[in-house]
Every structure is written in C-alpha cells, then in structure tokens.
Amino acid sequence: MSLWLPPQLYAASPPALRATGSTGKAATDFDLPARRPAGETVRASQHRAGCTDAAATPAPRLARATARRYPVSVLKQASSSPVVHHAALALRPSACPGLLRIVAARDGGLCRIKLPGGALSAAQARAIADASVQHAAGTIEVTNRANLQVRGVRGGHEAALIEALIEAELGPSGALTSARPGPTPTMATAEASHVDTSAAYASTALAADDVRNVMISPAAGRDPFALFDTAPLCNELLALLQSEPRFAALSPKFALLLDGGEKLARVDHPHDVWLAATQGPDDVRFVFGLAGCPPDAGSPHANHGGALSAVLPSQVCALIGAVLHTFLDLAATDATRMRHLLATHAADALLHHAQRYVDFPLSRDASLAGWQRATRADASLRLGASDQRQPGTWHAGGQPPLGRLDAATLHGLATLAHLHGDGTLRMTPWQSVLLPDIATHAVAAVINGLTELGLATDPAQAITRVMACAGSTGCARSLADTKADALRLAPRLPADVDVHLSGCPRSCAAAHCVPFTLLAVAPGTYDLYRRNGQPGFGACVAHRLTIDEASDALTRLAHIDAPIDIPVDTHIHDAAEPRPRTKPMSNPDA
Ligand code: SF4
C-alpha cells in the first residue's frame, strides 16, 4: 500500500535552505527563533541554523550557486500549486534535518531519524538500511544524540524515503495514520480537497518530529547502577512534547536529558533541561537543573549549572510542562535555548513563574546546591559486554569507525539483535551501537559478530577515541577531509588520548568538551587545541600541524597532566610572515 504524503513534508524548508552545507550538527549554538508571530516575514538571516550556508546568501543567488556546486537536488518542489508553495514557506523554517525535513549537504540530502531513547527494532533497522540503499548513498550515521541519519539522499527520492521510514513507524507519533487524509486519495484529488488538512498536518508533523529530543542512557532499565528505569518516562515525555500544540514553537534543538543514575550514561552534553535520579531517604527523586549537565565527578569540564530542586518521578512530566510553558511565556523571540532565557531571567524567577503551572511546591532547594551524581559515569561500558541488572543477561556494544555504518553492517547488527538479543538495538550518544538482553552463553558470539562487522568492542582500540565531523566530503564549510584524516590519525594515537577533528569552529561532532581538538585550517592541516576548562576547544597549543605532526604532538602532550592555558594570540603570526610548517609545542616542558 502506498502512503499519500502531503507535499509540504518534503518541500518544507524555504528555498534559501536548499543549499546548506549542513552535515547534521547535533548541538550547535546557532538556531532559528521558532516563535514567529503568524504572518511575519521570514528573513533570510533567520534561516541560519546549525552548520548551514544558506543564511548569508540571497535565495536566487544561492539557488544558482547551489546548482553549480551541488548537482544533487535534495529538496524537491513537489507541486506548483501556489497554495502548497505558500504553505511550504509558512512551515517551520529551520536548517536542522529531520525525518520530514531533508536538507542539503555536499554529499546529497540529509535525513535525520529521531529514535525514542535511541531504540529501534531489528525490523526498523533493516528498513533504514534498505531505504538508504534505494534512496540514498547507503551511508548511515549514528549521531551524538543517539539518533540515526541517512546521508546522500538522491534528488527526487525524498518522498519515497520519507514514506519508507514512516511505514517503518520511525516518524513522529500519529504520522502513519495522519499521513492518510481521507479514503486512499490520489495525489491529484488529495491536493484539491485536502490542501488545508495536509498543510496543517505537515506543520504539525514537522513540529512533532522536531521536538522529539529526550536523551536517556542506552542501558536504561538494565544498568545495575540505575536508580530508576527512565525508558517509560522518556516515552511519556515524548508523548507530552508531541501532543501539546504550544511546544511546536520550541526550537528543534531544544533538548531534555533524563538521567536514571546509570553508570553507562552520557552526562557531559549540555541540555536545556536536565533531570537526574537521586536516592532520597524514602524514595527516588529527580533532581533538575537548567542549561547544563548533571554534576558528575567523571565529567569535570562539563557545564554544571547546579541543581535547583527535586521532584517525584510522578511529577516529572508536569514539571517539564511547566518549565516549557515558562520558557515560551518569557523568552524573547530570538531566544531559542534555555541559556538565552537565563541570560535575562534568574533561575529562581523562572521557578516562581513555573509554579503557576503545577500543584506541587516549586522553589530552589538550597540543600541541593552541591549535589552530584552518586555514580561516576563510565563511557567505556558502551564497548564490549557488561552484565545487566537482570541476572544472566548482558548488553554488548561496538563502535563503528567515526560513527558511520553502511547498509550491510546495519543489517548485520539487526541479525545479531534478532538471533541473540531481544530484537532491538540501541544507538548511543557516543555514536556507537548497543545490543541489550543477551544471554551469557551468547555473549562471545555477539562480540565476535560485532568485530566481524567492523565495530570496535575494546576501549583500548584507538578508533574508539577519535571523532570527526563530516568534513569536506559532506560539508561545504570544512577546510579538510576530517573523516579521512581521523582514520589516518587513529593508528598513531597515543593511549588514553581522546581527540576530535573539526572542519570548522562549529564543532558539529562534539557537543561536549573533548580533551584535544584538531581544527582544520587547510586540507590535511590543523591547529591543535587542548581543553582548559573554558568553553570552546580550550587553548591553542600548536599551529598548522599535519596529521603525522599532530600525532607526535599528542604523544608529547599525553604525558602532561595539567591543562596548558596559553592564549591563542601567543602563537598567531603576522599575516605577512609565513607560518612554519611545524609549530613548536606551546608547553615549555614539551
Ligand atoms: S565543517 Fe564540520 S564542524 Fe563545520 S559545519 Fe561542517 S560538519 Fe560542522
């Protein structure tokens, strides 16, 4: 049976967005103001979001440039109907990819599939693998928010790809039934009689897809250290986000973290609202904070905004609703993230405002000021086998190189999950894959299977400590082929050193503070930064390194514990002065 899809779904982005350099930035600071008054003109400058090029270029000129630079047409103009065209322009303007909003990248269209809690069934994994071959280049990426994205969507295949993914129940809630307005309409009759319905549906579906941003541990409900199984609560929050019409005004990047206290947990990604389970004298409660991360001894450089208060698990959804309404009540139209609101309103004022939306006390609890997670997070548990809280069961995980899978590998993972696990897969925010519920006798077979599929299962494997953005093959902004350079660097990486290669300062691959960052300045050439506790990449400690030179520099720096805090200006050469090929390390001891 063929799905009828409102054309707006795959022609949703304004023309200016059709030539982004986007590669799927997961945690950028740049975003659109989502709360535009009805009828307000959308300026080109409003279209800047994530790692897109669209904003700076007027649409017609951009379109011509795009046609020259990117032969693949990735956003299909499905209908010449002026109503449809108007509706498409009026839809949520954003350069963030989604399942229903395929945006352009240098290597074709980019379609992001948001997974509830990072989970998908083996059948859904197979559907994504097959669709990626039929409609795209066959490359699938695990994102650093535990989602999947299909790269290289071919021009003219957008609707078919979306249809395949919705049929696999990977779309926002209600997409499958709502995408069929009326009794099996043809495209022609539907367009004539259901324009209003389809436009409304397209807008609603896009918003529902955009707001599905709740992160939990990939081992939720299974981690022996977990204080609370967050998976059901995550589903409740996702339902809330998609069902409240007002929340459609939230930015596609507005994100929640729900931490159950697991040891396998990513708690160094800043979130707009975070909640973390804590054991009280009588019961489990959720401590929460705004615009930051749960304080964790294992993430000393993360943005710990500090805990504000705590609520019962049964109050979490009401709390989130109250906080989101408060954000929408008080934030200026160009304030898209919680940190923007905190720049103009004290946290206590926000709690005071939120109180009107809940029937339980909501005020700062000073006793939580120094609260920390009881369990130190350990990212290495994503690799290899770890026992679950359910006796006799394990989860096993592997890291695909630089987070990329091909269709055959995804099929292989689905087979492993089907044969030895519970038939589901978990994507992790370290761009890796976890297979849960494996019986003890099957652990060796699964680890062997992951290895045969090319996934690293041992934290000692250097490839597990390297991350890279899409680079110049996928992003027009990149000054280097970061993916290829990362693969070259990995075999020469010293033990226990984590490094991040970024094609430009936008840092798409890393939402957290990485110990070392190589920032591209030219093809195959990078400046080296070391984390120093400040926002951003840290201190620049060497300029214009080749990959081999970067390897040597990292080897030397790996033995120096203290962060090197030297201003970058120290190393900037006069423009007329040729820069040396190899910059001496900044640390006087190096
Ligand atoms: S070059 Fe890399 S970091 Fe910069 S926008 Fe492109 S993908 Fe993002």
Side-chain angles (χ1 to χ4, degrees):
M1 177 167 47
S2 176
L3 272 182
W4 181 87
L5 292 168
Q8 293 93 328
L9 287 183
Y10 47 95
S13 299
L17 292 182
R18 294 178 191 166
T20 72
S22 173
T23 57
K25 180 173 172 58
T28 181
D29 286 347
F30 303 92
D31 199 8
L32 295 175
R35 279 161 285 109
R36 287 182 297 113
E40 179 183 310
T41 302
V42 178
R43 301 187 307 274
S45 60
Q46 286 182 290
H47 297 160
R48 181 181 294 283
C51 42
T52 73
D53 295 333
T57 312
R61 185 152 55 91
L62 181 70
R64 287 195 297 274
T66 302
R68 285 197 303 272
R69 292 165 65 190
Y70 311 119
V72 179
S73 168
V74 294
L75 279 178
K76 178 183 177 186
Q77 186 64 46
S79 168
S80 58
S81 160
V83 176
V84 171
H85 180 66
H86 175 77
L89 290 178
L91 290 170
R92 298 169 60 83
S94 176
C96 283
L99 187 145
L100 304 172
R101 184 193 295 110
I102 297 174
V103 303
R106 182 171 263 181
D107 55 349
L110 187 60
C111 178
R112 182 171 298 160
I113 306 159
K114 294 186 175 176
L115 304 170
L120 73 167
S121 69
Q124 289 174 319
R126 292 187 189 285
I128 294 170
D130 290 341
S132 78
V133 171
Q134 289 171 14
H135 307 299
T139 299
I140 304 126
E141 282 180 335
V142 187
T143 75
N144 59 13
R145 293 203 181 274
N147 294 315
L148 286 173
Q149 56 193 24
V150 175
R151 297 199 69 94
V153 180
R154 295 196 288 274
H157 285 248
E158 297 85 358
L161 174 63
I162 292 170
E163 182 178 321
L165 297 176
I166 288 179
E167 281 283 14
E169 300 186 28
L170 289 158
S173 62
L176 191 56
T177 50
S178 298
R180 296 184 177 112
T184 55
T186 64
M187 194 67 148
T189 58
E191 208 169 285
S193 60
H194 297 284
V195 163
D196 289 346
T197 303
S198 62
Y201 166 68
S203 181
T204 302
L206 276 165
D209 190 34
D210 281 344
V211 298
R212 298 190 295 163
N213 303 316
V214 182
M215 186 187 287
I216 62 174
S217 164
R222 296 174 170 84
D223 191 298
F225 290 81
L227 299 170
F228 194 88
D229 180 358
T230 55
L233 194 47
C234 173
N235 288 333
E236 286 182 46
L237 285 173
L238 289 170
L240 170 70
L241 288 165
Q242 294 174 84
S243 62
E244 167 54 56
R246 197 176 181 216
F247 296 161
L250 293 169
S251 157
K253 297 186 184 307
F254 200 99
L256 314 177
L257 173 67
L258 190 57
D259 168 25
E262 302 86 356
K263 195 173 184 67
L264 177 57
R266 175 127 238 180
V267 289
D268 56 357
H269 278 189
H271 281 75
D272 294 278
V273 187
W274 61 262
L275 301 105
T278 190
Q279 183 63 57
D282 303 319
D283 46 24
V284 171
R285 292 188 164 242
F286 275 92
V287 170
F288 68 90
L290 305 176
C293 318
D296 181 88
S299 308
H301 296 283
N303 172 18
H304 299 151
L308 293 175
S309 189
V311 296
L312 293 167
S314 59
Q315 296 169 329
V316 164
C317 282
L319 169 74
I320 291 298
V323 170
L324 299 187
H325 280 297
T326 296
F327 177 84
L328 294 169
D329 288 344
L330 301 179
T333 52
D334 60 348
T336 59
R337 305 298 298 272
M338 187 61 78
R339 64 179 180 280
H340 302 148
L341 181 58
L342 286 173
T344 56
H345 293 72
D348 294 296
L350 300 186
L351 290 181
H352 182 73
H353 188 96
Q355 180 66 75
R356 72 187 62 185
Y357 290 105
V358 294
D359 58 4
F360 51 84
L362 201 53
S363 61
R364 186 189 290 268
D365 182 346
S367 71
L368 294 172
W371 180 87
Q372 275 204 329
R373 296 178 91 241
T375 301
R376 184 172 175 152
D378 182 357
S380 71
L381 295 176
R382 75 191 189 277
L383 304 169
S386 298
D387 55 338
Q388 301 181 160
R389 66 187 310 136
Q390 296 81 5
T393 66
W394 301 69
H395 57 69
Q399 185 92 38
L402 306 177
R404 281 196 172 174
L405 302 160
D406 60 21
T409 304
L410 192 50
H411 269 293
L413 291 168
T415 299
L416 285 176
H418 180 72
L419 289 179
H420 302 296
D422 70 341
T424 69
L425 303 83
R426 300 287 182 283
M427 298 300 132
T428 85
W430 299 274
Q431 298 183 278
S432 68
V433 183
L434 199 76
L435 304 180
D437 295 353
I438 296 163
T440 303
H441 66 82
V443 167
V446 172
I447 295 297
N448 286 340
L450 292 171
T451 303
E452 287 171 6
L453 289 171
L455 276 66
T457 58
D458 185 344
Q461 292 174 266
I463 194 66
T464 65
R465 289 178 278 110
V466 185
M467 66 183 71
C469 74
S472 55
T473 59
C475 177
R477 291 183 174 276
S478 185
L479 297 176
D481 186 350
T482 52
K483 291 286 190 197
D485 290 340
L487 293 176
R488 283 186 54 220
L489 176 64
R492 299 195 54 191
L493 198 62
D496 300 326
V497 167
D498 286 15
V499 67
H500 159 220
L501 285 79
S502 193
C504 86
R506 292 194 169 196
S507 187
C508 291
H512 62 298
C513 296
V514 183
F516 293 100
T517 294
L518 288 166
L519 177 62
V521 294
T525 308
Y526 295 82
D527 286 349
L528 175 60
Y529 290 77
R530 186 174 192 178
R531 182 173 63 193
N532 63 356
Q534 301 301 313
F537 295 143
C540 183
V541 294
H543 280 301
R544 302 189 68 83
L545 303 178
T546 65
I547 288 300
D548 288 343
E549 291 165 345
S551 166
D552 294 341
L554 288 166
T555 301
R556 296 160 72 188
L557 286 171
H559 302 297
I560 303 169
D561 287 336
I564 304 168
D565 197 358
I566 296 178
V568 65
D569 284 353
T570 304
H571 307 289
I572 292 179
H573 293 249
D574 187 278
E577 174 191 352
R579 289 183 174 184
R581 287 289 298 159
T582 304
K583 178 69 185 176
M585 300 307 301
S586 304
N587 189 293
D589 296 327

